[in-house]
Amino acid sequence: MPLHSSVVAQSTLGLHSLEHYEPLIGASSLERISRKADRVRTMRIAHVSSTFYGGGVTELLTPLTLMQNAMGIETDWHLIQGTPGFFAGTKKLHNGLQGEDVDFSDTERAVYEEVVFENATRIHLDDCDAVIVHDPQPLPLISHFSDREMPWLWQCHVDLSQPFGPTLAYLRNFAEQYDGAIFSLPEYAQDFAVSQHFVRPAIDPFSPKNCELSDAQVERCLSGHGIPTDRPLVTQISRFDRWKDPLGVIQAFRLARQQVDCRLVLIGSSASDDPEGAAVLEAVKRAADESVIVLAVDDPVLVNALQRRSAVILQKSTREGFGLTVTEAMWKGAAVIGGNVGGIRHQIEDGWNGFLVNSPDEAAARIVQLLKDARLREQLGSRAKESVREKFLMSRLLEDWLDLLISYERIAV
Amino acid sequence: MPLHSSVVAQSTLGLHSLEHYEPLIGASSLERISRKADRVRTMRIAHVSSTFYGGGVTELLTPLTLMQNAMGIETDWHLIQGTPGFFAGTKKLHNGLQGEDVDFSDTERAVYEEVVFENATRIHLDDCDAVIVHDPQPLPLISHFSDREMPWLWQCHVDLSQPFGPTLAYLRNFAEQYDGAIFSLPEYAQDFAVSQHFVRPAIDPFSPKNCELSDAQVERCLSGHGIPTDRPLVTQISRFDRWKDPLGVIQAFRLARQQVDCRLVLIGSSASDDPEGAAVLEAVKRAADESVIVLAVDDPVLVNALQRRSAVILQKSTREGFGLTVTEAMWKGAAVIGGNVGGIRHQIEDGWNGFLVNSPDEAAARIVQLLKDARLREQLGSRAKESVREKFLMSRLLEDWLDLLISYERIAV
């Protein structure tokens, strides 16, 4: 039986019963979602991705798969196994989809396709009623299931609005074998010759990263990690990835510190399928001075505590699939400064529930403004929390998925 | 279709057709194994473990699952997802099973059981004909499948000969719900009230870690990692784990260097479910001087190259489940010095195909002896290779598994 003490909840995968959402979304929403679930209760769903750890896909699939199973919808989550060479290649594909001019060699292509083939021999999906494949890593799987009798959907969590041509052309061959493609936002889509769907991401308000923490728990957590709170904290929580612009964050912080005293915290864990992360982390450490705390740890409770305790939360991305770390910070009522890109623009209405910035200079100015005005921080933060409650909780994402599955149940392959 | 160029083979999960073993084991063995496979061809098998990366379980399950599927035996490999708190707890259970006096708190127990429960809701095994669960991490899964109609086996890769009493008593409750327990060696077993089976580990001779490399490939690989070969290399390849005694290795190396010039290489990757690895790695780095190269990387081709190029391979474990790194080194014809413990004693016959040692002093003496006698190194190495060919290749392990599955098919639950 599940245990629900707060200590356990913070150490496990989270609460996963829809009933827990009732205080947040109300009884009528709960009932509407339950009725939709009844319509797909007999379906068996399989998700396929490349890791259980790190990155936005994991953050979504962990609660989604647990919630669906808790509702009686049999939902599996399969992983593909890769090699270092495989993940180095898929990282290039990921960067290519985001617009970088990448050189994906014939050997890398052979390794990519061969590893996916090997995994295909070991993943058995005959009994499923729908298969959802996530991101580029397992994308070619579908080639090895040509006698499939159920819909296959590719969910692309990457912004495809300005892809590198050769990368897109190559992956299009696989994507168009699917029955549908799912994007986070309409402007990220590509004109694949398949049905298009949109499911905006969401956060799990009961996960260790997002659940309520008392002030005492927050202070204990920060001091346990050696993070002093003698000066206001300015924090960016993000993988060490150059699209997250950690060096731009350090630059903005240096400018801001000329006017207000503060401390910068940069915290992130490299996704286990991201070989570039270590190099970016090294560059960040070289650029940091003694006012900057750099932590490469994977501790969701620490992230939670930092989002609650920091005076300002930054997410100064220069490209962003959606920006779940922005959602998480807004859910805690934080004053958030986000890069004026991608999904961050769907979350932050500039000057209303946060700030959008286009440069380190702009970021620095907003840091100074916020650090000098506690009332403004509180005002933006409380509006931020309300907008997440309305639009970006897992209960809304679950409902989007139920709608999508219902539509595919009707038009079975 | 699988590609078989050497470049691809070294970057993918390996060759996985039994036919590739014919030059190594002969046509009659191949035919005998194929006949056994025919008898279980209609079974569907599921393995469950905690990671695709790092550790001996992965080394065995990657080729085994691929080979079985290549033979037409539907074999899945499911992973359980954990949290940092979960893996910290299961590491304690692992250490407790190996005899350490561990304090496994009620909270850790609650987290352990809750995380496994959460995974159980998401792993659907109704269609399987046999389920094999590996090591302590997913052990409690069986509690949540009480209406199962197929045999469940627990494969314990840990030496249970001298366990910490409370740890064993706790895990026994779960282990005895299974239909059978599988150990690597008879002396590692416990008297659980279930059937007992023994499957010795084996290596995949076609994996990137074990496949043939030319001398030029070996030199290129070592120089690419900055490993000089101006002096003889003494190498230990092992996770940074105190049971592998890396500090004892450094001590032995220092003693040996008083008599012969050489260089020590310590290389290993922390398994992703081993939170203690980082601390051991730090201790090793502190103890190392400029003649010691410490590499925390996960590069199977580098391991392969080092096993082929080193004058002496050490595996100075003080506890050892089986010691696959010993098997791998012996397969390359290396002169191996192993700790006189566990499975290493089943592989090395002291003075015949390697050396067994009981202390850093003994290890130092054997290092000196081997470095001074090239003919002895070659003699031991060639016998080492032959003994692995006879007893420790994946084809033998596959046959053990077929025998086991045949026995359970006859006595279905």
Side-chain angles (χ1 to χ4, degrees):
Chain A
M1 293 300 296
L3 302 168
H4 291 152
S5 85
S6 68
V7 172
V8 173
Q10 287 173 31
S11 304
T12 66
L13 302 176
L15 303 182
H16 42 266
S17 163
L18 185 63
E19 280 66 39
H20 292 293
Y21 285 77
E22 185 169 337
L24 303 177
I25 63 173
S28 66
S29 295
L30 193 80
E31 201 186 320
R32 184 184 67 246
I33 297 171
S34 298
R35 274 199 310 271
K36 290 179 177 177
D38 288 338
R39 296 183 55 187
V40 296
R41 196 90 66 192
T42 58
M43 289 183 82
R44 180 161 176 182
I45 316 296
H47 289 270
V48 186
S49 77
S50 65
T51 178
F52 278 154
Y53 307 103
V57 180
T58 294
E59 301 282 326
L60 296 175
L61 285 185
T62 298
L64 178 67
T65 55
L66 293 172
M67 287 175 85
Q68 288 192 176
N69 281 297
M71 300 184 98
I73 305 165
E74 276 198 16
T75 307
D76 298 87
W77 181 2
H78 303 280
L79 298 187
I80 58 163
Q81 181 184 21
T83 61
F86 172 80
F87 286 122
T90 58
K91 180 69 185 173
K92 281 191 181 178
L93 294 177
H94 182 97
N95 289 344
L97 288 179
Q98 291 207 130
E100 191 186 332
D101 187 336
V102 294
D103 173 28
F104 192 66
S105 70
D106 287 350
T107 302
E108 286 170 316
R109 179 177 166 153
V111 167
Y112 174 55
E113 296 183 14
E114 171 68 2
V115 166
V116 171
F117 164 76
E118 289 167 329
N119 279 280
T121 69
R122 201 169 50 188
I123 297 179
H124 303 96
L125 301 169
D126 286 353
D127 306 324
C128 294
D129 299 296
V131 175
I132 301 103
V133 172
H134 294 266
D135 275 350
Q137 296 94 338
L139 175 62
L141 264 186
I142 194 166
S143 314
H144 307 289
F145 292 83
S146 51
D147 57 348
R148 66 200 170 82
E149 293 178 349
M150 74 293 287
W152 277 56
L153 306 173
W154 182 46
Q155 183 161 19
C156 178
H157 300 262
V158 183
D159 172 358
L160 294 192
S161 56
Q162 297 169 358
F164 178 54
T167 303
L168 184 70
Y170 170 54
L171 294 180
R172 177 190 293 276
N173 294 327
F174 300 113
E176 295 191 341
Q177 295 177 46
Y178 286 75
D179 300 289
I182 303 165
F183 299 96
S184 300
L185 297 169
E187 61 264 43
Y188 290 178
Q190 271 293 330
D191 61 336
F192 297 133
V194 300
S195 301
Q196 301 228 337
H197 309 280
F198 304 100
V199 177
R200 287 172 302 165
I203 62 166
D204 175 358
F206 306 110
S207 75
K209 200 190 277 186
N210 295 315
C211 66
E212 290 295 326
L213 295 180
S214 68
D215 290 347
Q217 284 175 309
V218 168
E219 299 302 325
R220 204 159 52 234
C221 179
L222 295 186
S223 75
H225 282 85
I227 299 173
T229 50
D230 52 336
R231 294 187 243 159
L233 296 178
V234 177
T235 301
Q236 173 154 311
I237 296 152
S238 220
R239 278 187 298 122
F240 290 99
D241 176 309
R242 67 205 140 108
W243 302 108
K244 311 301 184 190
D245 196 22
L247 298 176
V249 168
I250 292 175
Q251 194 184 336
F253 168 73
R254 288 217 176 109
L255 289 170
R257 263 199 91 210
Q258 294 169 4
Q259 297 184 56
V260 285
D261 196 21
C262 53
R263 203 183 288 281
L264 178 64
V265 180
L266 287 165
I267 173 173
S269 67
S270 299
S272 66
D273 57 354
D274 178 7
E276 283 183 7
V280 175
L281 177 58
E282 278 313 302
V284 167
K285 284 183 175 167
R286 278 195 302 274
D289 64 22
E290 75 290 347
S291 296
V292 182
I293 298 172
V294 181
L295 289 172
V297 295
D298 183 13
D299 183 335
V301 180
L302 176 58
V303 167
N304 193 336
L306 278 168
Q307 287 168 333
R308 291 178 191 281
R309 186 63 170 77
S310 297
V312 175
I313 294 286
L314 282 170
Q315 184 61 51
K316 223 201 83 42
S317 307
T318 54
R319 291 295 287 275
E320 188 62 71
F322 180 76
L324 277 174
T325 54
V326 169
T327 330
E328 291 158 8
M330 290 173 75
W331 176 242
K332 281 114 187 173
V336 181
I337 300 171
N340 187 15
V341 293
I344 298 175
R345 286 185 294 207
H346 285 254
Q347 301 186 63
I348 295 180
E349 192 178 334
D350 190 31
W352 170 254
N353 58 0
F355 285 122
L356 293 173
V357 294
N358 296 290
S359 67
D361 286 354
E362 284 183 31
R366 291 306 191 185
I367 293 172
V368 171
Q369 182 186 3
L370 284 168
L371 289 181
K372 286 182 172 171
D373 188 345
R375 183 142 171 237
L376 176 62
R377 294 201 301 271
E378 206 199 322
Q379 196 172 49
L380 297 182
S382 104
R383 290 178 190 143
K385 177 161 191 169
E386 181 57 20
S387 62
V388 174
R389 201 189 64 73
E390 284 171 12
K391 293 187 285 190
F392 298 118
L393 295 185
M394 279 303 301
S395 42
R396 192 271 309 150
L397 184 139
L398 172 66
E399 186 169 5
D400 284 354
W401 267 104
L402 295 175
D403 289 339
L404 193 56
L405 294 172
I406 289 167
S407 75
Y408 273 93
E409 198 186 28
R410 268 179 281 154
I411 55 163
V413 174
Chain B
M1 294 298 298
L3 301 168
H4 291 153
S5 84
S6 67
V7 172
V8 174
Q10 286 173 31
S11 305
T12 66
L13 303 175
L15 303 182
H16 42 265
S17 163
L18 185 63
E19 280 66 38
H20 292 292
Y21 284 78
E22 185 170 336
L24 304 177
I25 63 172
S28 66
S29 294
L30 192 80
E31 201 186 318
R32 184 184 67 247
I33 297 171
S34 299
R35 274 199 309 271
K36 289 179 178 178
D38 289 338
R39 296 183 55 186
V40 296
R41 195 89 66 192
T42 57
M43 289 182 81
R44 180 161 177 182
I45 316 295
H47 289 271
V48 186
S49 77
S50 65
T51 178
F52 279 155
Y53 307 102
V57 180
T58 294
E59 301 282 326
L60 296 174
L61 284 185
T62 298
L64 178 66
T65 55
L66 292 172
M67 288 175 84
Q68 288 192 176
N69 281 296
M71 299 185 99
I73 305 166
E74 275 197 16
T75 308
D76 298 86
W77 181 1
H78 302 280
L79 298 188
I80 58 163
Q81 182 184 20
T83 60
F86 172 80
F87 286 122
T90 58
K91 180 68 185 171
K92 281 192 182 178
L93 293 177
H94 182 97
N95 289 344
L97 288 179
Q98 290 206 129
E100 191 185 333
D101 187 337
V102 294
D103 173 29
F104 192 67
S105 70
D106 287 349
T107 302
E108 286 169 317
R109 179 177 167 153
V111 167
Y112 174 55
E113 295 183 15
E114 171 69 1
V115 166
V116 171
F117 164 77
E118 289 167 330
N119 279 279
T121 69
R122 200 169 51 187
I123 297 180
H124 303 97
L125 301 168
D126 285 353
D127 306 324
C128 293
D129 300 297
V131 175
I132 302 103
V133 172
H134 294 265
D135 275 352
Q137 295 93 339
L139 176 62
L141 264 186
I142 195 166
S143 314
H144 307 288
F145 292 83
S146 51
D147 57 349
R148 67 199 171 84
E149 293 177 350
M150 75 293 286
W152 277 56
L153 306 174
W154 182 47
Q155 183 161 19
C156 178
H157 300 262
V158 182
D159 172 359
L160 295 193
S161 56
Q162 297 169 358
F164 178 56
T167 303
L168 184 70
Y170 170 54
L171 294 180
R172 178 190 292 274
N173 295 326
F174 300 113
E176 294 191 341
Q177 295 177 45
Y178 285 75
D179 299 290
I182 303 165
F183 299 96
S184 300
L185 297 169
E187 60 264 44
Y188 291 179
Q190 271 292 332
D191 61 335
F192 297 133
V194 300
S195 300
Q196 301 227 337
H197 310 280
F198 305 100
V199 177
R200 287 172 303 166
I203 62 166
D204 175 357
F206 305 110
S207 74
K209 199 189 275 185
N210 295 315
C211 66
E212 289 295 326
L213 295 179
S214 69
D215 290 347
Q217 285 175 308
V218 167
E219 299 303 324
R220 205 160 50 235
C221 179
L222 295 187
S223 73
H225 282 84
I227 299 173
T229 51
D230 53 335
R231 295 186 242 158
L233 296 177
V234 176
T235 300
Q236 172 153 311
I237 296 152
S238 220
R239 276 187 300 121
F240 292 100
D241 176 309
R242 68 205 139 109
W243 301 108
K244 312 301 184 188
D245 197 22
L247 298 175
V249 169
I250 292 175
Q251 194 184 337
F253 167 73
R254 288 217 176 108
L255 289 169
R257 263 199 90 211
Q258 294 169 4
Q259 296 184 56
V260 285
D261 196 21
C262 54
R263 202 184 289 281
L264 178 64
V265 180
L266 287 166
I267 172 174
S269 66
S270 298
S272 66
D273 58 353
D274 178 7
E276 283 184 5
V280 175
L281 177 59
E282 278 312 303
V284 167
K285 285 184 174 165
R286 277 195 302 274
D289 64 23
E290 74 289 348
S291 295
V292 182
I293 298 171
V294 181
L295 290 171
V297 294
D298 183 12
D299 183 335
V301 179
L302 176 59
V303 167
N304 193 336
L306 278 168
Q307 287 169 333
R308 291 178 191 281
R309 185 64 171 77
S310 297
V312 174
I313 295 286
L314 283 170
Q315 183 62 51
K316 224 203 82 41
S317 307
T318 54
R319 290 296 286 275
E320 189 61 73
F322 180 76
L324 277 173
T325 54
V326 169
T327 330
E328 290 158 9
M330 291 173 75
W331 177 241
K332 281 111 187 174
V336 181
I337 300 171
N340 187 15
V341 293
I344 299 175
R345 286 185 295 206
H346 285 255
Q347 301 185 64
I348 296 180
E349 191 179 336
D350 190 32
W352 169 254
N353 59 0
F355 286 123
L356 293 172
V357 295
N358 296 290
S359 66
D361 285 355
E362 285 184 30
R366 292 306 192 186
I367 292 171
V368 171
Q369 182 186 3
L370 284 168
L371 288 180
K372 287 183 172 171
D373 188 345
R375 184 144 169 234
L376 177 62
R377 295 202 299 270
E378 206 199 321
Q379 197 173 47
L380 297 182
S382 111
R383 291 177 190 144
K385 176 160 192 170
E386 182 57 20
S387 62
V388 174
R389 201 190 64 73
E390 285 171 11
K391 294 187 284 189
F392 298 118
L393 295 184
M394 278 305 300
S395 42
R396 194 270 307 148
L397 183 139
L398 171 67
E399 187 169 3
D400 284 353
W401 267 105
L402 296 174
D403 289 339
L404 193 55
L405 293 172
I406 289 167
S407 75
Y408 273 93
E409 198 187 28
R410 268 179 282 154
I411 55 162
V413 174

